[in-house]
């Protein structure tokens, strides 16, 4: 997650619990056998010792190794300074855990993010982490709720493309398009490209295949470009070309995407080969 240095109220683990100690029973005084009186009979059962409590969620009994506030970036640590120190440390641990787990175990990452949100729901960085963790875990409505809160708190449109994609996932492509129109050009170049990709997907959801292709066109749709987002943009364009039945063009753009995909974010080369084989 984005605020953990190498990526956004329910159940909270009882981490301070110590099992209760056995109660010692004093020995009865011993006298000579002739002077002992028979013990008084009683029907009362011996007092039962309380059972040790179990953690509310065994998955959260311990945090991943290295999950502490120092793993967060300076901006996140600065925001957490608005909390009391002990609370900031606790919340920071869960935010760090969420960031460490978000790719390998998004469901567990979300559990940690929810704990952080439960302890500091009015801190924007916490709601951001919770929203992004929910998005990665496929909890679209929850992600949308948290990211809307972040937008209200900060006035930033940084996650508007993620919000629009949540609307798509919830079966509301029209709302995704409305969000894209609402922000206009008041976003970073990277976010603008992500919005175009989501808008194209929304058009496709609505059966508007040609419009989906057109939504991705622009000056940066140039195979000579090497922008940070070029691989994703070229890939999305190829994918929508294929959906529109323009297979020869789709193969060319899958190959363009593969050439600029240095981080291997996509399977563009495989898609080009598969599509080419299908056309033979």
């Amino acid at each position: 997650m984005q605020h953990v240095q190498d990526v956004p109220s329910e159940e909270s683990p009882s981490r301070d619990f110590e099992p209760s100690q056995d109660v010692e029973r004093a020995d009865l005084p011993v006298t000579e056998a002739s002077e002992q009186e028979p013990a008084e009979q009683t029907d009362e059962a011996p007092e039962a010792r309380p059972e040790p409590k179990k953690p509310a969620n065994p998955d959260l009994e311990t945090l991943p190794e290295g999950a502490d506030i120092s793993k967060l970036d300076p901006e996140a640590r600065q925001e957490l300074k608005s909390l009391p120190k002990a609370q900031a440390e606790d919340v920071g641990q869960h935010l760090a855990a969420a960031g460490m787990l978000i790719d390998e175990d998004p469901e567990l990452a979300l559990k940690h993010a929810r704990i952080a949100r439960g302890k500091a729901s009015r801190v924007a960085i916490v709601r951001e982490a919770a929203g992004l963790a929910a998005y990665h875990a496929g909890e679209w409505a929850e992600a949308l709720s948290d990211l809307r809160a972040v937008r209200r708190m900060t006035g930033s449109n940084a996650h508007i493309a993620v919000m629009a994609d949540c609307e798509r996932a919830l079966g509301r492509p029209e709302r995704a398009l409305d969000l894209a129109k609402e922000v206009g050009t008041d976003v970073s170049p990277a976010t603008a490209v992500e919005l175009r990709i989501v808008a194209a997907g929304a058009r496709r959801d609505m059966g508007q295949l040609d419009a989906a292709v057109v939504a991705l066109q622009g000056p940066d749709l140039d195979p000579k470009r090497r922008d940070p987002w070029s691989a994703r943009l070229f890939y999305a364009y190829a994918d929508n070309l294929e959906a529109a039945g323009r297979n020869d063009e789709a193969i060319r753009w899958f190959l363009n995407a593969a050439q600029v995909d240095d981080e291997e974010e996509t399977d563009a080369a495989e898609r080009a080969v598969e599509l080419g084989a299908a056309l033979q």
Side-chain angles (χ1 to χ4, degrees), residues 168-169 173 198 200-209:
R168 274 193 66 206
V198 174
R203 293 289 183 190
R204 187 165 159 181
D205 293 342
M206 298 165 68
Q208 301 173 6
L209 301 182

Side-chain angles (χ1 to χ4, degrees), residues 137-151:
E139 296 291 342
W140 316 118
E142 183 176 352
L144 190 57
S145 176
D146 279 318
L147 294 177
R148 280 174 177 164
V150 174
R151 193 182 183 204

Side-chain angles (χ1 to χ4, degrees), residues 20 74 85 121 184 220 226:
S20 58
K85 184 175 181 180
S121 63
D220 50 0
R226 291 294 185 274

Side-chain angles (χ1 to χ4, degrees), residues 57-175:
N57 190 329
D59 289 337
L60 303 178
E61 187 175 7
T62 57
L63 290 157
E65 184 178 354
D68 61 67
I69 195 170
S70 67
K71 294 295 189 294
L72 304 180
D73 68 23
E75 179 186 349
R77 294 199 299 271
Q78 183 63 36
E79 282 201 46
L80 292 180
K81 286 183 179 180
S82 63
L83 302 172
K85 184 175 181 180
Q87 184 182 2
E89 292 284 346
D90 187 12
V91 170
Q93 283 183 312
H94 287 290
L95 291 184
M100 294 167 67
L101 293 165
I102 197 164
D103 291 325
E104 63 185 65
D105 192 343
E107 288 76 18
L108 184 53
L110 178 56
K111 290 177 183 178
H112 282 289
R114 285 170 172 168
I115 290 175
R117 183 182 62 199
K119 296 173 183 290
S121 63
R122 296 186 179 182
V123 178
I125 199 69
V126 174
R127 297 299 290 272
E128 179 184 27
L132 294 175
Y135 178 75
H136 280 269
E139 296 291 342
W140 316 118
E142 183 176 352
L144 190 57
S145 176
D146 279 318
L147 294 177
R148 280 174 177 164
V150 174
R151 193 182 183 204
R152 288 194 301 270
M153 291 173 175
T154 66
S156 171
N157 288 318
H159 299 298
I160 198 70
V162 178
M163 294 169 62
D165 203 34
C166 288
E167 294 285 12
R168 274 193 66 206
L170 291 167
R172 303 189 294 238
E174 296 88 352
R175 293 192 187 183

